[in-house]
Amino acid sequence: MDVEESDEICMPVPGNADLTRPAHALPYAQVADEIGANRSQGLTDAEAKKRIELYGRNELQAGGGVLILAMVVSFGIQSWIEGGVISAVVVLNIVVGFFQEFQAEKTMDSLRSLSSPTANAIRRGRDITVPTAEIVPGDLVEMRTGDTVPADIRLIEAVNFEADEALLTGESLPVRKDSEAVLNEDLSAGDRINIAFSSTTVTRGRAQGVVFATGMKTEIGAIAAALRKKDSKVRPVKRKSDGSAGAHRYVQAWTLTASDAIGRFLGVNVGTPLQKKLSRLAVLLFGIAVLCALIVLGVNEFSSQQEVIIYAVATGLSMIPASLIVVLTITMAAGTKRMVERHVIVRNLRSLEALGAVTDICSDKTGTLTQGKMVVRKAWIPAKGTYSVSSSEPFNPTAGTIDFTACAPKDTKPQDTCEKGSVLPAAELLDGNVFLEDYLKVASLANLATVQKSDGDWRVRGDPTEIAIQVFASRFDRNRMSLMSGESPRWRSIAEFPFDSEVKKMSAVYQDVHKQEMHIFTKGAVERVVGSCTSIYLCNEGATQMTDDIREDIISNMEALAVLGLRVLAFASKPLEEHIKPKSDPDRNDLEIDLIFRGLVGLYDPPRPESAPSVRKCTEAGISVHMLTGDHPGTARAIALEVGILPSRLNELRVDIADAMIMPASQFDKLSDDQVDALPVLPLVVARCTPNTKVRMIEALHRRKRFAAMTGDGVNDSPSLKRADVGIAMGQGGSDVAKDASDIVLTDDNFASILNAIEEGRRMFDNIQKFILHLLAENIAQAATLLVGLAFKDTTGLSVFPLAPVEILWVIMITSGMPDMGLGFEIAAPDIMQRPPQSLKRGVFTLEVMLDMLVYGFWTAALCLASFVLVLFGFGDGNLGDHCNESYSAACDTVFRARATCFACLTWFALFLAWEMVSMRRSFFRMQPKSTKYFTQWMFDVWQNKFLFFAILAGFVTIFPTLYIPVINRVVFKHEGISWEWGIVFVEAFLFFLGIETWKWAKRIYFRRQAKRSSNDSDVEAPGALAAEPEKESSAEDQ
């Protein structure tokens, strides 16, 4: 970093509140007092609201081409009416598009704010999650590994706390923090080791502190302008090692930059994959439109007359889906807003398209499939026996009873062969029980959770596992706060080794203040803790040397608890001979050895009530659920069976399949990729899972052509979240690093919300498919009508168009636009989660959709042309008049009436087709096959989507002014009001429904036969139900 930058960064920032000296130059107690913070209870909600009004939010300050072409052509040939109407449509399209895009962008902004980093603040004595933008000076904030620091914070407590400040100082190594330090005023930011700076990342340890600066008053706010430089859109010139570059490299860079700019303008290289694909489709259709215009000119011998050019423009306009991208954007924005209501925040629009294709969900257990509200059910102390807790209040240590039996868990039989336990008061159980005392010391002190009574209620803070253990210790009046606080505290914290996913242990070093002795207390995975132990107390006669037989006996007791669905941890401790200085950084490998085994604790985390139904729905939807957990295989198996991840008849499966379904990570990680690929099935349950195991599972699923979603909450989960097709972070218990790596965030950490997200993804996919089909079928109908209409030539030899340019624009923008948007809001089909996942390889343009597009388009065109011919030749004299494309005359009356009839038919067909698109296979009159309202059910169905209903109703109403208002009908729309011709419209409307319903009936027959051939019992009206494999192409889904 150069000197100038350093000078800028080192400028002292006073913060929001006026302090007597900079925060780093004051003791933390004085900072808290001067800023009005409560170091134990935090701020109240009312005070936080008052301060956000005073200091402001904790944020850094933020520093239609085709129609226009048609308009230019119309004015260029002095066709003022067409040019004026197209101009009005352009303005209307811009205004409506801007308004809708603005609303969509507002929605996306609100979603981005929801998915922004959050902070763990203490307010009213409770540990709550607060959006970073709502953090205020005086807030008490807790931070742990993986968190993004929400504001400038004066540290009160720092345990092995390190932060990455490269963004602020340029220092590549994490900075170790010391909350007790009081520093000189003139120190630079990089030397303020008692401050945690906003936007830096916690790389190690935990800390608590008080906020003294937010928003632009923070250190990062002072240099925010330098950090908000936008990336250049100019392609760099490729140079040689000596810095030189040939002329061709400059040409290459300029060409690529120009192509990028054109791509951005056309939308083919920006946005989500679907948006890019549809932008490319729009470019293709523009090319087809130009070709159609050339055909019109060619048939009319490239005449330069105004009528011919206008006909060519009209034919070109008929192929342009003008509202396609706008409707798509609005549909996706509305979908993301709907997801928020179902506890899902979309961070990446790309994931919306991916959700419907998910074939496998890899989920954690704790807090996702389970409630995350753990309670201690069993505690086993080898020298004494088993303590069982029964309580309906997980956070109240005074509620419930404690049952004691001298039997070990593995000896407790349902047949009561062991001595029956007795219910005793906690004080009596503890009296003279040194083994229970030693056990409780580990439970209380190797623990960061807080359990305290305030205003008559028990309030807890911390990890659910540690809260449950702390509540158990509090039952015996061995609460951590009571042991470390007061006038004469018994214990003093010296060092702490946080839980690590590799070592699977957590340890804390304390000093016995009364005896001046050092002790280490350790808890963690049973196998890891037992492996660190060399002795155990089996009776009152002293410690016994740990042997392999004793270790096997401990494992047997662990498995007995795990079979009950309990999460089992081991406790160990020992006195330390060496003296460790406070705030030192000893090597945990030197201390976590030769421990004394103290016992096991069994915690129950009940499955969420909705987990089992959600897993069952996943199975019905063709989605496999894998549980990747850090728990013991026995615990994982019990929970997996309870929620339905494992089949209930597991023992009846082939041995190789059953063995592959449940696997510890140690076994899975030892397998090579070839061996994993050779497994009959990938494991549904992986126990003792590590971050690397998750990555390998994703890779194994990808090799099997599966589309995987992965949940994660920790820093180490980031690689698997990024590798997954859809990364899912936990909104409540997840770290900011995990959220940044994810595509979606669950605000309630609930597995059922993943299913909600997939259902919404499928619904959006269906609806996008519907309005695209409707839009493009209309384009085909208009283009076919106009191209065939080239055969109708007047006395001058020029083609007479069946549809005028303004009529085409009316159908594209007014008649079809709003119903298309209504189709985007359509609710999910009842059977949407009974189908296999969609295929992203084909996307929305399946073979069925493309066939439907042609059939509906050509059937509509045939009926429209038939109406034109009937009025003109069947009931009229066949006189095509002279210059009837340009103006009305008596000779053109029949042509104008025929054109009006054709326009009325096309308008009605476009509106009716929108209703037919609600279900791509079921009859419009039988959307609900199980309904007993055989002749009236359709009336209820059309009212279900009120936006679509009123959009279609508006389309019916607005046609009449265009037909019967003088000047508008003859001069603008080039048609005449009709009377008896409505009979033709009604008959053709009946034929339209008959043709569409016949085609749907034929499709149902075909797919029913296909279902019989594939022996698939799924609903034949659900297209995806026929796919043998999720990765195979599935046709359009039914709604």
Side-chain angles (χ1 to χ4, degrees):
M1 181 179 298
D2 58 37
V3 175
E4 294 177 355
E5 288 181 338
S6 182
D7 288 341
E8 180 184 352
I9 291 172
C10 291
M11 288 192 305
V13 178
N16 302 74
D18 292 330
L19 300 175
T20 55
R21 300 179 68 191
H24 63 272
L26 294 173
Y28 61 75
Q30 187 174 346
V31 172
D33 291 340
E34 291 187 14
I35 210 167
N38 186 318
R39 284 187 286 150
S40 60
Q41 297 294 312
L43 299 176
T44 63
D45 292 338
E47 180 63 23
K49 184 177 181 181
K50 187 186 301 181
R51 294 192 181 203
I52 205 169
E53 293 174 355
L54 176 63
Y55 299 119
R57 292 174 64 83
N58 180 28
E59 297 172 328
L60 299 181
Q61 297 173 2
V66 174
L67 289 178
I68 293 174
L69 179 62
M71 175 186 69
V72 171
V73 172
S74 299
F75 283 136
I77 61 173
Q78 298 182 355
S79 184
W80 308 115
I81 297 296
E82 283 76 8
V85 171
I86 294 174
S87 299
V89 171
V90 169
V91 172
L92 178 64
N93 197 32
I94 291 173
V95 171
V96 173
F98 173 79
F99 177 75
Q100 296 288 6
E101 292 266 10
F102 176 71
Q103 293 296 326
E105 187 59 30
K106 281 180 63 179
T107 300
M108 294 310 300
D109 281 342
S110 65
L111 296 181
R112 279 190 285 268
S113 68
L114 286 174
S115 63
S116 64
T118 55
N120 295 317
I122 298 173
R123 291 183 179 172
R124 295 178 293 109
R126 299 178 184 273
D127 192 355
I128 64 173
T129 300
V130 179
T132 299
E134 296 178 11
I135 289 293
V136 296
D139 257 327
L140 203 60
V141 175
E142 293 181 336
M143 297 159 285
R144 65 179 186 272
T145 304
D147 286 349
T148 299
V149 179
D152 282 3
I153 296 171
R154 176 59 169 93
L155 297 176
I156 294 175
E157 180 187 17
V159 180
N160 300 329
F161 187 73
E162 296 181 1
D164 181 359
E165 298 180 349
L167 177 67
L168 183 68
T169 65
E171 176 60 49
S172 59
L173 296 176
V175 178
R176 182 69 176 252
K177 298 294 183 177
D178 182 2
S179 60
E180 301 291 340
V182 178
L183 309 171
N184 294 329
E185 291 188 23
D186 57 353
L187 287 179
S188 65
D191 295 325
R192 299 174 196 168
I193 59 174
N194 56 8
I195 302 292
F197 293 104
S198 175
S199 301
T200 59
T201 304
V202 181
T203 59
R204 185 185 179 203
R206 64 179 179 86
Q208 185 184 89
V210 61
V211 174
F212 69 89
T214 59
M216 297 302 290
K217 294 291 186 178
T218 61
E219 285 286 343
I220 201 69
I223 58 172
L227 298 175
R228 285 202 304 265
K229 293 179 180 177
K230 295 184 177 180
D231 294 334
S232 173
K233 295 180 180 179
V234 178
R235 290 288 190 104
V237 177
K238 292 184 179 180
R239 301 180 182 275
K240 298 177 182 179
S241 57
D242 59 359
S244 62
H248 68 287
R249 291 298 185 187
Y250 286 92
V251 174
Q252 180 189 49
W254 296 337
T255 303
L256 292 173
T257 300
S259 65
D260 288 345
I262 295 171
R264 285 192 298 273
F265 175 76
L266 296 175
V268 298
N269 59 4
V270 292
T272 69
L274 181 58
Q275 288 172 326
K276 293 177 183 178
K277 185 179 292 185
L278 293 181
S279 294
R280 287 193 287 268
L281 172 66
V283 173
L284 174 63
L285 291 176
F286 174 72
I288 295 174
V290 173
L291 178 62
C292 290
L294 290 174
I295 292 173
V296 171
L297 294 173
V299 170
N300 289 276
E301 299 177 353
F302 289 93
S303 172
S304 59
Q305 292 190 39
Q306 184 187 58
E307 295 179 60
V308 175
I309 297 176
I310 281 295
Y311 199 127
V313 170
T315 308
L317 285 175
S318 69
M319 285 303 298
I320 304 301
S323 60
L324 180 59
I325 301 300
V326 172
V327 174
L328 175 65
T329 302
I330 294 168
T331 300
M332 296 180 79
T336 57
K337 191 173 183 179
R338 186 184 176 113
M339 283 189 178
V340 172
E341 298 170 358
R342 305 189 72 179
H343 309 293
V344 179
I345 298 172
V346 179
R347 299 187 69 254
N348 183 354
L349 280 179
R350 186 173 315 210
S351 62
L352 287 177
E353 302 159 26
L355 282 168
V358 168
T359 63
D360 293 76
I361 300 174
C362 299
S363 174
D364 192 11
K365 176 184 76 68
T366 304
T368 306
L369 288 164
T370 61
Q371 296 180 21
K373 296 179 180 178
M374 294 195 176
V375 292
V376 172
R377 287 286 177 86
K378 300 283 185 181
W380 175 60
I381 301 174
K384 299 300 292 184
T386 304
Y387 300 82
S388 301
V389 180
S390 175
S391 176
S392 59
E393 300 180 48
F395 301 147
N396 187 352
T398 62
T401 60
I402 304 174
D403 177 280
F404 173 74
T405 175
C407 293
K410 68 182 181 64
D411 299 324
T412 304
K413 307 291 183 183
Q415 295 82 6
D416 292 328
T417 57
C418 184
E419 178 185 353
K420 187 176 181 180
S422 55
V423 177
L424 297 172
E428 186 175 336
L429 289 170
L430 190 59
D431 186 29
N433 192 340
V434 294
F435 303 109
L436 180 56
E437 280 280 9
D438 290 336
Y439 181 94
L440 292 174
K441 288 175 186 175
V442 183
S444 178
L445 298 176
N447 195 318
L448 305 179
T450 300
V451 177
Q452 60 180 344
K453 195 171 186 179
S454 177
D455 299 330
D457 295 328
W458 286 95
R459 298 182 177 180
V460 298
R461 297 203 309 267
D463 177 78
T465 301
E466 295 194 333
I467 289 173
I469 296 173
Q470 195 67 253
V471 169
F472 179 75
S474 299
R475 291 182 180 277
F476 298 90
D477 196 24
R478 295 298 183 268
N479 188 292
R480 176 172 174 265
M481 293 184 68
S482 65
L483 296 177
M484 296 183 61
S485 59
E487 295 181 0
S488 179
R490 174 66 184 272
W491 296 93
R492 178 190 178 195
S493 177
I494 301 299
E496 182 183 299
F497 306 111
F499 179 83
D500 185 274
S501 58
E502 295 298 329
V503 300
K504 295 189 180 296
K505 289 181 291 188
M506 179 270 179
S507 296
V509 176
Y510 283 83
Q511 182 184 37
D512 187 330
V513 178
H514 294 175
K515 298 181 180 180
Q516 293 298 307
E517 295 176 350
M518 293 282 181
H519 292 260
I520 181 171
F521 302 105
T522 300
K523 74 172 186 295
V526 178
E527 301 93 331
R528 301 297 181 90
V529 173
V530 170
S532 300
C533 293
T534 55
S535 59
I536 182 176
Y537 284 93
L538 298 175
C539 58
N540 294 326
E541 297 179 357
T544 301
Q545 190 73 21
M546 184 72 74
T547 64
D548 290 341
D549 290 340
I550 293 176
R551 288 191 176 93
E552 289 179 7
D553 184 71
I554 294 172
I555 296 301
S556 298
N557 281 287
M558 174 196 66
E559 291 173 345
L561 295 175
V563 167
L564 301 176
L566 303 182
R567 182 183 184 187
V568 187
L569 299 177
F571 290 168
S573 66
K574 74 170 183 178
L576 296 175
E577 296 180 0
E578 64 271 29
H579 183 82
I580 299 175
K581 295 181 180 180
K583 308 302 178 184
S584 62
D585 189 14
D587 188 344
R588 69 186 302 170
N589 295 322
D590 296 333
L591 300 180
E592 293 176 335
I593 57 174
D594 300 330
L595 301 175
I596 303 171
F597 182 80
R598 299 298 183 185
L600 302 177
V601 62
L603 303 106
Y604 182 64
D605 185 10
R608 293 178 183 266
E610 58 271 26
S611 289
S614 296
V615 171
R616 184 169 60 252
K617 288 179 181 178
C618 284
T619 303
E620 294 172 356
I623 300 170
S624 297
V625 180
H626 306 258
M627 187 170 78
L628 279 62
T629 176
D631 286 340
H632 181 268
T635 306
R637 177 190 175 106
I639 297 296
L641 284 169
E642 191 171 350
V643 301
I645 291 176
L646 290 174
S648 57
R649 299 181 178 179
L650 185 63
N651 296 332
E652 298 178 12
L653 298 176
R654 276 185 8 222
V655 176
D656 58 335
I657 294 178
D659 290 344
M661 283 187 171
I662 309 173
M663 196 176 290
S666 57
Q667 180 183 347
F668 183 78
D669 291 340
K670 288 178 182 177
L671 299 176
S672 65
D673 289 348
D674 292 338
Q675 289 173 319
V676 171
D677 295 341
L679 292 173
V681 293
L682 285 176
L684 295 179
V685 176
V686 180
R688 296 295 192 224
C689 188
T690 65
N692 183 60
T693 308
K694 293 184 176 183
V695 174
R696 290 205 66 201
M697 175 62 80
I698 292 294
E699 292 174 344
L701 287 167
H702 285 168
R703 290 196 298 273
R704 296 192 181 210
K705 307 301 181 186
R706 312 289 285 184
F707 206 81
M710 172 67 76
T711 67
D713 53 9
V715 178
N716 292 333
D717 290 330
S718 298
S720 59
L721 290 175
K722 286 182 177 292
R723 198 73 58 91
D725 299 291
V726 179
I728 304 172
M730 302 296 109
Q732 295 179 350
S735 66
D736 289 335
V737 173
K739 293 175 188 176
D740 288 341
S742 68
D743 298 302
I744 65 175
V745 178
L746 306 184
T747 58
D748 60 353
D749 294 7
N750 193 337
F751 180 83
S753 296
I754 302 176
L755 199 67
N756 292 341
I758 292 174
E759 182 179 343
E760 282 300 313
R762 291 188 177 191
R763 183 191 69 84
M764 289 181 60
F765 184 94
D766 275 6
N767 292 348
I768 289 170
Q769 201 169 49
K770 290 172 187 175
F771 73 67
I772 287 176
L773 173 56
H774 178 259
L775 198 63
L776 297 184
E778 285 301 308
N779 287 138
I780 290 174
Q782 291 174 129
T785 300
L786 289 171
L787 289 175
V788 175
L790 290 171
F792 305 120
K793 295 194 175 185
D794 61 13
T795 56
T796 63
L798 298 178
S799 298
V800 176
F801 42 62
L803 292 169
V806 176
E807 290 176 329
I808 293 168
L809 281 174
W810 186 268
V811 173
I812 290 175
M813 300 302 302
I814 307 300
T815 305
S816 295
M818 297 305 288
D820 285 334
M821 202 175 298
L823 286 172
F825 299 148
E826 190 65 30
I827 63 172
D831 61 345
I832 197 168
M833 295 305 289
Q834 276 85 50
R835 319 169 190 164
Q838 295 129 355
S839 168
L840 286 185
K841 183 177 180 182
R842 215 16 122 68
V844 295
F845 295 103
T846 63
L847 180 61
E848 181 183 4
V849 168
M850 290 188 285
L851 281 174
D852 285 350
M853 198 184 302
L854 294 173
V855 170
Y856 298 153
F858 286 129
W859 179 239
T860 301
L863 291 175
C864 288
L865 286 167
S867 69
F868 186 79
V869 170
L870 278 173
V871 174
L872 194 60
F873 298 103
F875 298 97
D877 55 9
N879 181 16
L880 290 169
D882 186 14
H883 297 291
C884 293
N885 289 347
E886 186 176 349
S887 61
Y888 175 83
S889 65
C892 293
D893 184 73
T894 305
V895 171
F896 271 50
R897 298 176 74 87
R899 191 178 289 150
T901 307
C902 184
F903 172 63
C905 286
L906 181 62
T907 301
W908 280 29
F909 297 163
L911 297 172
F912 288 143
L913 185 60
W915 265 332
E916 285 283 3
M917 289 299 95
V918 170
S919 174
M920 295 177 67
R921 290 188 189 166
R922 286 194 176 119
S923 168
F924 168 72
F925 304 99
R926 291 291 292 163
M927 295 285 189
Q928 312 295 334
K930 297 180 182 179
S931 172
T932 56
K933 300 181 180 75
Y934 300 104
F935 301 105
T936 59
Q937 180 60 45
W938 65 272
M939 298 181 185
F940 297 93
D941 292 334
V942 298
W943 180 246
Q944 198 169 35
N945 186 340
K946 293 180 178 59
F947 187 98
L948 180 61
F949 176 83
F950 286 111
I952 291 175
L953 184 64
F956 277 115
V957 172
T958 53
I959 189 177
F960 294 101
T962 69
L963 289 172
Y964 298 109
I965 295 179
V967 180
I968 289 180
N969 54 4
R970 291 183 179 179
V971 178
V972 178
F973 282 84
K974 301 290 192 296
H975 60 212
E976 179 64 283
I978 56 176
S979 53
W980 59 267
E981 290 89 350
W982 281 110
I984 296 176
V985 177
F986 279 103
V987 171
E988 293 215 346
F990 171 79
L991 293 176
F992 175 80
F993 273 114
L994 182 63
I996 302 297
E997 292 293 331
T998 301
W999 174 250
K1000 284 187 174 183
W1001 173 80
K1003 287 202 298 180
R1004 291 195 294 272
I1005 295 296
Y1006 171 78
F1007 285 113
R1008 187 176 294 119
R1009 291 177 178 174
Q1010 288 290 100
K1012 289 180 180 178
R1013 290 176 189 170
S1014 60
S1015 300
N1016 194 329
D1017 295 330
S1018 300
D1019 179 7
V1020 299
E1021 294 186 344
L1026 304 176
E1029 294 293 336
E1031 64 267 26
K1032 291 184 180 179
E1033 175 60 36
S1034 62
S1035 54
E1037 293 186 352
D1038 172 46
Q1039 287 199 356

